[in-house]
Amino acid sequence: MGDYGLRMRDHDRRVSAMQLKIGAETIKQRLRGQKYRLYTRVCANIGVFTKGNESRMGKGKGTFNHWASRIAVSQIIFELKGDLHEQVVRDAFRLAASKLPGLYEFVRKGDPPVMGITKVPVGVTLEEMKRPRVKTLLNVTASPLPATTTL
């Protein structure tokens, strides 16, 4: 969708809706007055419920606290499209990443794809990445055992 993106580089995280909102507002603040379109690719759709520390077992799971979302490794969180200089967009995403938990990286349209934390090199297909790395044994024919004589 967009020309630039902010991708999760760390392990899976749970990010609250407020943290996502603060990250988006930080990007908008940095790019104020310029023509762009910001896409948020993550939706906070998991309800987080809390219960007191010293409460006894049972009696339900607690009261609603906030909305959150699970962000997987290499998932794009924000995308940006517009006629902007790359360094300005990098700076905006750097500021947003400092407000979010975890490690993030800046990506451009046309960058090599990523499987987990492994960058897929040019010319390598998805099937080759999924194939087991163990070499298969060659077709070796076994020579027949020497005949044994019985006494």
Side-chain angles (χ1 to χ4, degrees):
M1 286 204 282
D3 300 325
Y4 306 105
L6 186 67
R7 178 168 54 198
M8 170 70 86
R9 194 179 70 189
D10 204 1
H11 57 83
D12 298 350
R13 296 247 181 212
R14 187 165 79 175
V15 179
S16 70
M18 186 57 69
Q19 290 169 329
L20 287 172
K21 182 180 174 188
I22 288 172
E25 287 175 356
T26 304
I27 293 171
K28 290 175 186 174
Q29 177 75 25
R30 175 63 181 90
L31 300 177
R32 177 176 284 160
Q34 302 188 33
K35 294 186 84 172
Y36 67 94
R37 174 90 166 105
L38 180 67
Y39 301 97
T40 303
R41 299 281 304 270
V42 177
C43 176
N45 57 359
I46 299 168
V48 177
F49 295 81
T50 58
K51 198 170 181 180
N53 286 338
E54 296 187 10
S55 61
R56 295 188 177 189
M57 298 290 284
K59 310 251 187 320
K61 65 178 182 178
T63 59
F64 176 79
N65 192 0
H66 63 275
W67 290 102
S69 65
R70 288 191 182 99
I71 300 177
V73 171
S74 302
Q75 185 174 358
I76 303 280
I77 296 158
F78 296 115
E79 281 192 45
L80 199 131
K81 185 177 191 176
D83 191 25
L84 300 166
H85 194 274
E86 181 180 325
Q87 203 60 36
V88 175
V89 178
R90 267 185 196 273
D91 187 46
F93 282 155
R94 179 189 58 80
L95 291 171
S98 67
K99 310 265 191 225
L100 296 170
L103 299 174
Y104 298 90
E105 66 180 340
F106 176 80
V107 292
R108 285 187 296 275
K109 190 179 220 176
D111 279 356
V114 174
M115 280 187 62
I117 57 172
T118 307
K119 288 189 173 31
V120 179
V122 177
V124 176
T125 62
L126 182 64
E127 290 77 25
E128 290 176 3
M129 291 289 286
K130 288 184 176 179
R131 189 180 64 222
R133 295 182 182 172
V134 177
K135 294 183 180 179
T136 58
L137 297 175
L138 299 174
N139 292 337
V140 178
T141 58
S143 61
L145 295 174
T148 58
T149 59
T150 58
L151 296 171

